[in-house]
Amino acid sequence: MILELDCGNSFIKWRVLGSDRAIVSAEGIAGSDVALIESLSSLPGLLLTHCRLVSVRALDETNNLVAALVEAFGVVVSCAVSAREMAGVRNGYEDFERLGLDRWLAMLGGFKLASGACLVLDFGTAATADFIAGDGEHLGGFICPGMPLMRNQLRTHTRKIRYDDAAAERALECLSPGRTTVEAVERGCTLMLRGFVLTQLELARSYWGDNFTVFLTGGDADLVRDAVPQARLVPDLIFVGLAMACPLS
């Protein structure tokens, strides 16, 4: 069995592949290293042989997680690293190591699935866009605050904005002008994300006309799905790239 981990800024997304490496036998989201180990330890019949992970966390945090996995499961851990070029994709950053590994792997996965030019839109803690030409050249990208950052900034800096997650979910049942604070905030932030998407589509069309594939990924991708109906929603796009960056013999 293979354990795959996407260690983001807020959560650890995990999944376990069966012996055939094609079927996901278990998956989940953990809020900490301890919670991850507990979730995995509770799985019946778990017999891990390998682990591959991508992390955007500090090096010491990542090393601590690797050590905990080795201690708990005796598993060999492979960590994705930056590259100037991989699987036909050429990193477009001036300093290629400065490009976030999550974005890099999503680009690898998108280019593989598209077999041509693609726009990768990822909606997590931050919202990101990356443009990959048909020849694999990464043209660059954009980063802006995602839904969690926008929401938390308003909650932190505006004293009267206070509501829970259940209220936020109810507020997004439609996108008409808000008649309560929670509706105004949640719908306003969602429309900002949708505006971000539409500007990226406009730029992509200026490059490639209609000859490109759009990928949506990340925990909040559903919030913008209606704005780009032609897009492919691939929640595990980073894991597609992770398998390419950390192949197992």
Side-chain angles (χ1 to χ4, degrees):
M1 293 181 169
I2 300 170
L3 173 64
E4 296 185 325
L5 302 176
D6 173 11
C7 305
N9 293 298
S10 303
F11 301 100
I12 302 173
K13 185 176 182 180
W14 61 269
R15 70 179 192 177
V16 176
L17 303 182
S19 56
D20 61 359
R21 302 185 183 181
I23 304 299
V24 177
S25 61
E27 60 186 339
I29 297 176
S32 67
D33 295 2
V34 172
L36 172 67
I37 299 297
E38 290 177 348
S39 295
L40 293 172
S41 298
S42 68
L43 296 176
L46 182 70
L47 185 59
L48 297 177
T49 56
H50 294 85
C51 171
R52 52 191 174 204
L53 67 82
V54 55
S55 175
V56 297
R57 300 181 172 193
L59 181 59
D60 59 340
E61 291 182 277
T62 302
N63 289 339
N64 288 340
L65 174 58
V66 170
L69 292 168
V70 172
E71 181 179 358
F73 305 107
V75 69
V76 177
V77 180
S78 299
C79 298
V81 297
S82 300
R84 171 61 69 188
E85 183 172 353
M86 182 178 293
V89 180
R90 293 181 298 282
N91 193 316
Y93 260 31
E94 295 178 0
D95 180 356
F96 73 90
E97 293 181 327
R98 299 290 293 176
L99 177 68
L101 278 171
D102 50 349
R103 290 172 61 195
W104 175 238
L105 295 188
M107 287 161 49
L108 294 180
F111 188 71
K112 177 182 179 180
L113 295 179
S115 298
C118 60
L119 168 62
V120 178
L121 300 169
D122 192 339
F123 298 93
T125 303
T128 64
D130 283 290
F131 299 78
I132 305 93
D135 63 357
E137 185 71 26
H138 174 220
L139 305 181
F142 298 96
I143 304 172
C144 73
M147 194 70 169
L149 286 178
M150 288 192 286
R151 178 190 294 128
N152 289 340
Q153 282 296 302
L154 286 170
R155 285 177 171 175
T156 300
H157 297 287
T158 307
R159 291 184 179 181
K160 292 186 178 181
I161 295 181
R162 296 290 185 271
Y163 55 85
D164 58 24
D165 292 340
E169 186 175 348
R170 290 192 300 272
L172 290 175
E173 292 175 354
C174 72
L175 290 178
S176 60
R179 298 174 68 88
T180 64
T181 298
V182 59
E183 290 177 353
V185 170
E186 292 296 314
R187 295 174 189 178
C189 290
T190 297
L191 290 175
M192 288 191 71
L193 286 185
R194 293 188 175 207
F196 175 78
V197 169
L198 295 177
T199 59
Q200 307 315 304
L201 290 174
E202 182 179 352
L203 182 56
R205 291 191 184 102
S206 74
Y207 289 144
W208 309 307
D210 292 324
N211 298 317
F212 65 97
T213 304
V214 183
F215 292 98
L216 299 179
T217 192
D220 286 325
D222 279 335
L223 294 178
V224 301
R225 192 175 186 180
D226 291 346
V228 52
Q230 73 272 32
R232 294 177 60 179
L233 180 63
V234 186
D236 293 332
L237 189 60
I238 285 179
F239 286 141
V240 176
L242 180 60
M244 299 164 68
C246 299
L248 302 175
S249 57

